[in-house]
Amino acid sequence: DGGITQSPKYLFRKEGQNVTLSCEQNLNHDAMYWYRQDPGQGLRLIYYSQIVNDFQKGDIAEGYSVSREKKESFPLTVTSAQKNPTAFYLCASSMSGVRRETQYFGPGTRLLVL
Amino acid sequence: AQSVTQPDIHITVSEGASLELRCNYSYGATPYLFWYVQSPGQGLQLLLKYFSGDTLVQGIKGFEAEFKRSQSSFNLRKPSVHWSDAAEYFCAVVRTGTASKLTFGTGTRLQVTL
């Protein structure tokens, strides 16, 4: 079955540590996205990528980094510069980066700070 | 800038009762609109979408939504709610001049009483 997988389901970060969240899709989608979800705030866009080896900052990119070396993979690194990383992180993908394309979401990773 | 407002943070309905979740958007041109549903600790699932044409859109799980340009609304409805519909519901709009970047509302949490 085609879909989006995110791992791990839960992730713990210590102070000063960088952690990487995995997102893989086998839908052959061109575009991929990372969102952060906090209670009562909906989803906010962190980074997005419309094509391999290219990505753009979203609304809240500070303290995060991404790479897009393969079409099916879009890992997100939460760096030590992100002072409030505790949140639910959702990865999404779409056929291409045009306005009519529907985004499909993975199951999410919950990041907690120790 | 586009915005999406979901005025109801929390709604409780009895099983078998009808449901309407409100969504208002701020947008200059014809919007592309979506409704997603999220069960606790899970990713988002697409319920339905509106791009153009018939203003009454049918989705999965018996949901429908009506686009009303004059009211800048895209309300989600279901004639008879089931206990399994308890979840959080998000309305979203594609932003102007962007590559399918979504702006989400803050969500409405639906509780279903038996």
Side-chain angles (χ1 to χ4, degrees), chain A residues 15-114:
Chain A
E15 291 287 338
Q17 185 181 41
N18 293 353
V19 292
T20 298
L21 285 62
S22 170
C23 177
E24 303 277 333
Q25 55 97 1
N26 60 4
L27 300 169
N28 199 32
H29 284 173
D30 296 307
M32 298 185 74
Y33 313 80
W34 273 106
Y35 292 90
R36 171 179 171 139
Q37 184 177 24
D38 297 280
Q41 294 195 44
L43 278 72
R44 293 180 290 169
L45 183 65
I46 304 173
Y47 268 97
Y48 66 103
S49 168
Q50 299 182 61
I51 196 169
V52 174
N53 292 323
D54 186 51
F55 49 84
Q56 288 80 40
K57 293 181 179 180
D59 302 315
I60 55 165
E62 185 175 352
Y64 300 97
S65 66
V66 294
S67 63
R68 186 83 188 279
E69 298 177 0
K70 298 186 295 183
K71 185 176 184 178
E72 57 271 21
S73 179
F74 191 40
L76 173 73
T77 296
V78 183
T79 73
S80 57
Q82 172 50 242
K83 298 307 179 187
N84 184 23
T86 297
F88 192 52
Y89 291 86
L90 289 158
C91 178
S93 69
S94 66
M95 283 288 290
S96 63
V98 297
R99 294 179 63 223
R100 291 175 68 97
E101 295 301 339
T102 300
Q103 292 184 27
Y104 297 90
F105 285 79
T109 292
R110 186 165 299 279
L111 177 60
L112 301 166
V113 177
L114 296 177

Side-chain angles (χ1 to χ4, degrees), chain B residues 1-100:
Chain B
Q2 290 78 49
S3 65
V4 176
T5 302
Q6 293 182 249
D8 303 306
I9 296 173
H10 184 239
I11 284 182
T12 300
V13 300
S14 300
E15 188 174 41
S18 64
L19 171 70
E20 182 168 28
L21 301 182
R22 295 183 290 166
C23 173
N24 293 98
Y25 63 89
S26 160
Y27 196 83
T30 300
Y32 295 158
L33 294 156
F34 303 81
W35 273 101
Y36 286 88
V37 61
Q38 183 182 35
S39 297
Q42 302 297 315
L44 274 65
Q45 181 182 23
L46 179 70
L47 284 176
L48 47 79
K49 59 189 175 185
Y50 172 78
F51 291 157
S52 63
D54 192 346
T55 56
L56 185 62
V57 180
Q58 301 298 320
I60 62 171
K61 304 185 179 186
F63 285 93
E64 66 179 26
E66 186 170 13
F67 170 62
K68 293 185 177 180
R69 184 187 302 276
S70 61
Q71 299 178 19
S72 297
S73 69
F74 188 56
N75 294 349
L76 182 70
R77 302 193 296 243
K78 187 169 184 178
S80 178
V81 171
H82 188 262
W83 64 266
S84 60
D85 293 323
E88 189 148 23
Y89 292 80
F90 291 94
C91 182
V93 62
V94 175
R95 307 183 202 182
T96 304
T98 68
S100 67

